Amino acid sequence: MSSNTAKGFSVPKHSLYSGSNGVIKSFVHVFAKNCGDKKITVNAVAPGGTVTDMFHEVSQHYIPKGDKYTAEERQQMAAQASLLHRNGYSEDIARVVAFLASTEAEWINGKVITLDGGAA
C-alpha cells in the first residue's frame, strides 16, 4: 500500500493506515511554518505503488479480485496504472528524498510530493 493510494481508495482493514496519511499533510504544513524562521524546510513524500515487501503483502487488496492473480501479475497490473507503464522502486523514492534534502530544494517547503509515475 502507498500513502497516496490510502487517500484514494477505501480498503477494508486499512482505516488506521489511511487515516494517518491524512494527518501527514496537515503536520507537514504546520511544522514547516514552525520551522520557517529557523530556515528549516519540512516536506514529505507520498509514494505510489512502489515495489517493496509491503507491496507484495497487500497488493491483492488494491486490485479488484487481486487474490486471483499471482504477485507477478499484480505487479504488472500496477505498472500499467502508471503513465510511464512501469513500477516504482525504492531507488525512485530515494532520489527525490535526496533532492529534497539538498540545497537545490531550499525553496520547496511544506509540501507532500506524490511519487507515482502519474498514476494518481
Side-chain angles (χ1 to χ4, degrees):
M1 179 163 167
S2 63
S3 52
N4 74 339
T5 57
K7 67 182 178 187
F9 297 99
S10 295
V11 178
K13 301 180 184 176
H14 283 81
S15 58
L16 293 177
Y17 185 90
S18 297
S20 67
N21 279 282
V23 173
I24 290 171
K25 185 175 181 179
S26 295
F27 177 79
V28 167
H29 185 71
V30 171
F31 201 44
K33 283 184 178 185
N34 292 344
C35 295
D37 60 345
K38 297 175 184 75
K39 307 295 187 233
I40 297 170
T41 60
V42 178
N43 297 291
V45 296
T50 306
V51 179
T52 63
D53 291 345
M54 184 178 176
F55 174 89
H56 291 296
E57 290 173 13
V58 301
S59 62
Q60 70 275 8
H61 299 295
Y62 294 89
I63 295 171
K65 299 182 182 179
D67 56 338
K68 297 182 188 279
Y69 300 101
T70 66
E72 292 78 21
E73 289 171 324
R74 291 191 305 268
Q75 186 172 330
Q76 285 301 314
M77 294 168 113
Q80 294 308 306
S82 163
L83 297 178
L84 302 174
H85 301 291
R86 73 171 184 85
N87 294 111
Y89 293 91
S90 300
E91 298 82 16
D92 296 311
I93 309 310
R95 284 192 292 270
V96 175
V97 170
F99 170 72
L100 288 172
S102 73
T103 56
E104 285 83 11
E106 67 183 345
W107 192 237
I108 301 171
N109 194 23
K111 303 298 178 197
V112 177
I113 311 295
T114 300
L115 308 173
D116 63 4

